[in-house]
Amino acid sequence: MTETRRGAFPRLDTHGIEPVAIERVEAFVFRAPIATPVRTSFGTMTDRPAVFVRITDSDGVQGYGEVWCNFPSVGAEHRARLVESVFRPMLIEHPVVHPADTFHMLTQRTEVLALQSGEPGPFAQAIAGIDLALWDLWARKAKLPLWRLLGGASGEIEVYASGLNPVGAEELVREKAAEGYRSFKLKVGFGRERDLGNLASLREIIGDACTLQADANQAWDLPAAMEMSREFASFDLGWLEEPLRCNRPVAEWRALIEQSPVPIAGGENLADAESFATFIEQRGYDVVQPDAAKWGGISGCWPVIQATRAAGLRYCPHYLGGGLGLLASGHLLAAAGGDGMLEVDANPNQLRTLLCGPIATPKDGRVSLGEAPGIGIVPALNELEERIG
């Protein structure tokens, strides 16, 4: 699995597409105002930022991607500048033979610069957004939906409503259930009594027919995580997400899994193939959650997904951003198959709802991504500012 390119795309199938010359690479920064801040155990979002990438080839075909930029939100503009100042010249100079080749080229050529600047995270996120845009462009040139280009058998996926705050979750769950959701994820890590009370309230509202998950956002050490997992056992949770910090040794995650009555999920904050390989091989997670807008795009995440499925673990993509990255994540899940669910932020965010196509309207907990080429929509980015103002 550490040989990402060969593991993911052994024949580098070009689908008959000749090398693609890139003419334009554009990054757009948007901020959607929100009335209620989004809270986690480590910080709060007071608006919803997004960095969208649009890549145009010499035939005028365009592909769209998204760069992770949630925390701190002031980093959105910085990531956009990285796309345009560091990566645009490389993309224009080098024809794209296959998106996976370009992913590796960009990663290798900027590896020292990312280390020298102390910014491996922002560099990886910018490359991820570019990779998503290139795969979207590739699928559009092949005249295939992205899920089908990647070998998927069906464009139908299961979704769940995520990002439920410790305050106001009951009302939001009722709203999302009425919209068609049948699975929900609550943020925990705000103190034992509050967490247990919130979980009890939500379980009472949704009943036994719906599924419930919890996300601690790296809030605890190992003893606390063990204790809270036992406290959560009675709520029949689908998983407990990131109970430990992502950089804790895999042995701690293994110890937690051995003691926890609740399945353990993680992976959104891993940022290289080797780390994923370690956690998958040593079964440090029950549910593996790479975030394609944060690291890897499709070229990096696809071998992680394949290894996850081969190990008999559950793949559920992490995502908490705008609509373009959400659509790409949905197509990845559809291509992967299995029993995974797509994370859909339940909090208001026009940058998500205006751009996520069919994901905005689930029916009985599922959506169909359809047969339109690429990620399925052509976003009017030049007009978006007026629509969210």
Side-chain angles (χ1 to χ4, degrees), residues 205-253:
I205 291 169
I206 65 176
D208 295 333
C210 295
T211 59
L212 181 63
Q213 290 74 233
D215 186 351
N217 292 123
Q218 309 185 75
W220 304 313
D221 60 14
L222 181 57
M226 287 182 169
E227 178 184 355
M228 294 307 294
S229 70
R230 290 190 290 268
E231 295 275 14
F232 291 171
S234 63
F235 300 111
D236 190 25
L237 299 183
W239 68 72
L240 172 58
E241 185 170 326
E242 283 204 312
L244 304 175
R245 292 186 182 182
C246 67
N247 62 354
R248 298 307 303 161
V250 67
E252 289 193 9
W253 291 83

Side-chain angles (χ1 to χ4, degrees), residues 82 90 97 132 148 195 198 203 207 224 237 239 269 319 321 323 351 389:
L82 287 178
M90 298 180 192
V97 176
L132 293 178
R148 193 178 290 282
D195 291 346
N198 283 339
R203 178 51 80 189
L237 299 183
W239 68 72
N269 289 307
Y319 193 73
L351 295 170

Side-chain angles (χ1 to χ4, degrees), residues 287-345:
V287 182
V288 183
Q289 301 174 305
D291 187 320
K294 197 169 191 179
W295 171 81
I298 290 170
S299 298
C301 286
W302 188 247
V304 170
I305 296 165
Q306 288 184 315
T308 298
R309 301 275 285 119
L313 303 175
R314 192 178 186 190
Y315 163 59
C316 291
H318 175 271
Y319 193 73
L320 197 76
L324 301 187
L326 180 61
L327 275 169
S329 299
H331 281 260
L332 264 175
L333 178 62
D339 63 349
M341 296 188 293
L342 177 66
E343 179 173 23
V344 183
D345 183 14

Side-chain angles (χ1 to χ4, degrees), residues 80-104:
R81 292 292 299 275
L82 287 178
V83 170
E84 296 189 329
S85 65
V86 175
F87 294 104
R88 176 164 54 190
M90 298 180 192
L91 287 163
I92 290 175
E93 290 172 4
H94 295 271
V96 179
V97 176
H98 187 279
D101 264 358
T102 299
F103 170 82
H104 289 285

Side-chain angles (χ1 to χ4, degrees), residues 47-128:
D47 62 17
R48 301 306 299 271
V51 177
F52 298 135
V53 177
R54 182 170 66 195
I55 296 179
T56 308
D57 75 1
S58 58
D59 294 326
V61 180
Q62 296 180 327
Y64 299 88
E66 183 169 350
V67 179
W68 184 93
C69 64
N70 286 338
F71 298 100
S73 64
V74 293
E77 287 78 6
H78 173 53
R79 287 161 174 80
R81 292 292 299 275
L82 287 178
V83 170
E84 296 189 329
S85 65
V86 175
F87 294 104
R88 176 164 54 190
M90 298 180 192
L91 287 163
I92 290 175
E93 290 172 4
H94 295 271
V96 179
V97 176
H98 187 279
D101 264 358
T102 299
F103 170 82
H104 289 285
M105 181 272 290
L106 296 177
T107 300
Q108 291 163 3
R109 287 194 59 183
T110 59
E111 186 174 14
V112 173
L113 178 57
L115 293 172
Q116 181 70 23
S117 61
E119 296 198 297
F123 273 73
Q125 293 148 19
I127 293 172

Side-chain angles (χ1 to χ4, degrees), residues 12-33:
L12 287 180
D13 187 356
T14 64
H15 295 271
I17 298 170
E18 296 295 323
V20 172
I22 302 301
E23 287 201 346
R24 291 196 303 278
V25 179
E26 304 164 277
F28 301 80
V29 177
F30 298 99
R31 292 183 179 278

